[in-house]
Amino acid sequence: MAQIIDGKALAARLMEDTQQGVADIVAATGAPPGLAVVLVGADPASEVYVGRKISQCRKAGITSIEHRLPADTAETELLALIDRLNADPAIHGILVQLPLPKGLNAAAVLDRISPDKDVDGFHPVNVGRLSTGTGGLVPCTPLGIMMLLDSVIEDYRGLNAVVIGKSNIVGKPVSMLLLEREATVTVTHIETKDLPDVARKADIIVAAAGAPHLVRGYWVKPGAVVIDVGITRITDHDGVTKIVGDCATHELDHARAVTPVPGGVGPMTIACLLANTVKAAKMGLKR
Ligand code: NAD
């Protein structure tokens, strides 16, 4: 039977560290760290994500300031808001919830966030720091994935890691983090040939394709560690909506360890956002 890596429990432990970090910052400055959350438009999924992030901030003792803008907001107006947040000493982290409504250039908006307040780790400066192994703020989902892996793997050197999906928010950054630990990393995607054969050579599989139950039992070699990042909402024959991951977990008894969906990567992502906010605030103290 594969070990189930409990993302909720790990996220709860990280939350305790974050609360301690907040207490340290309050002791040093008299004020808690501040996270600005910018939501443009009223995408229902984004509303849910933003609501969760704000309630977790409250739990951690981080001040969250929400900025809700209408879907027809001009890009110049959004950029002006980011400029104000960049200059505000009470704000240590800035998060612009994606996707942005049509007509707004997400790359231009993310580029405008100060790299030192870029708690999502999407700014090109932080992407560069990650790929050169020179610190900076690391995207939350990949950071959480590494903590889940660290709970079962001590030494990555020479292990074969196969990452399924090459997005800028998951696949590419997690590949960089695995490479930094000296795993041998293969990044795969929709055009990869013979993906099951490639996956079967892996000691570590990180599945981030958004393709329900893509990774079948015969793709996974005995003893591999499997991280399931996928989140897809499906409605079954009885009209019940549920969330499924990228892995057919019920076929993975021969794996060494797997993450569940839900309760694996998901809770770690928000916990890492809060940890990044504390990290950004501490970096600010040193400047
Ligand atoms: P994306 O759509 O930007 O990228 C998907 C990648 O997977 C692409 O590189 C594509 O080529 C590849 N891919 C798609 N189908 C494939 C297939 N059949 N075989 C091989 N490769 C395939 O997605 P993303 O933003 O990286 O997210 C991936 C999944 O992870 C989604 O389900 C998303 O909801 C989930 N996600 C979860 C969290 C979390 O906190 N748990 C965070 C971010 C993303």
Side-chain angles (χ1 to χ4, degrees), residues 45-58:
S46 294
E47 297 257 6
V48 172
Y49 293 140
V50 162
R52 271 189 213 147
K53 288 169 186 173
I54 287 171
S55 81
Q56 290 298 300
C57 272
R58 211 164 289 145

Side-chain angles (χ1 to χ4, degrees), residues 33-168:
L35 175 68
V37 181
V38 181
L39 177 61
V40 189
D43 175 64
S46 294
E47 297 257 6
V48 172
Y49 293 140
V50 162
R52 271 189 213 147
K53 288 169 186 173
I54 287 171
S55 81
Q56 290 298 300
C57 272
R58 211 164 289 145
K59 203 169 150 192
I62 293 171
T63 305
S64 63
I65 299 103
E66 209 179 335
H67 293 268
R68 283 174 176 262
L69 304 176
D72 60 357
T73 298
E75 196 166 299
T76 47
E77 203 181 317
L78 179 56
L79 294 176
L81 170 63
I82 292 172
D83 288 343
R84 287 199 298 281
L85 296 171
N86 281 339
D88 184 343
I91 296 297
H92 303 90
I94 302 170
L95 179 154
V96 176
Q97 185 64 42
L98 300 178
L100 289 172
K102 281 197 180 70
L104 293 173
N105 179 350
V109 171
L110 297 179
D111 282 10
R112 193 69 159 240
I113 297 172
S114 160
D116 296 331
K117 297 190 178 187
D118 169 38
V119 283
D120 263 335
F122 295 156
H123 191 284
V125 166
N126 282 319
V127 175
R129 285 175 181 154
L130 177 60
S131 61
T132 50
T134 49
L137 291 160
V138 174
C140 305
T141 302
L143 196 57
I145 292 170
M146 291 310 294
M147 290 180 187
L148 292 162
L149 284 171
D150 286 346
S151 73
V152 289
I153 298 173
E154 232 172 77
D155 188 354
Y156 291 74
R157 286 175 298 176
L159 295 182
N160 285 330
V162 169
V163 177
I164 305 175
K166 61 166 185 66
S167 73
N168 290 336

Side-chain angles (χ1 to χ4, degrees), residues 141 165-167 169-170 189-190 195 208-210 214 229-231 265-266 269:
T141 302
K166 61 166 185 66
S167 73
I169 64 167
V170 189
H189 47 78
I190 190 80
L195 182 52
L214 175 71
V229 189
I231 299 178
V265 176
T269 295

Side-chain angles (χ1 to χ4, degrees), residues 153-235:
I153 298 173
E154 232 172 77
D155 188 354
Y156 291 74
R157 286 175 298 176
L159 295 182
N160 285 330
V162 169
V163 177
I164 305 175
K166 61 166 185 66
S167 73
N168 290 336
I169 64 167
V170 189
K172 283 183 199 160
V174 83
S175 304
M176 288 299 163
L177 291 168
L178 287 161
L179 206 51
E180 202 52 37
R181 306 288 188 91
E182 295 184 332
T184 302
V185 184
T186 306
V187 188
T188 68
H189 47 78
I190 190 80
E191 299 297 344
T192 299
K193 305 264 185 297
D194 304 322
L195 182 52
D197 283 346
V198 177
R200 246 194 315 271
K201 296 189 178 67
D203 304 298
I204 300 167
I205 296 178
V206 177
H213 293 175
L214 175 71
V215 178
R216 302 289 308 275
Y218 70 94
W219 290 36
V220 176
K221 87 171 175 190
V225 176
V226 182
I227 303 291
D228 190 347
V229 189
I231 299 178
T232 307
R233 275 183 183 77
I234 58 165
T235 306

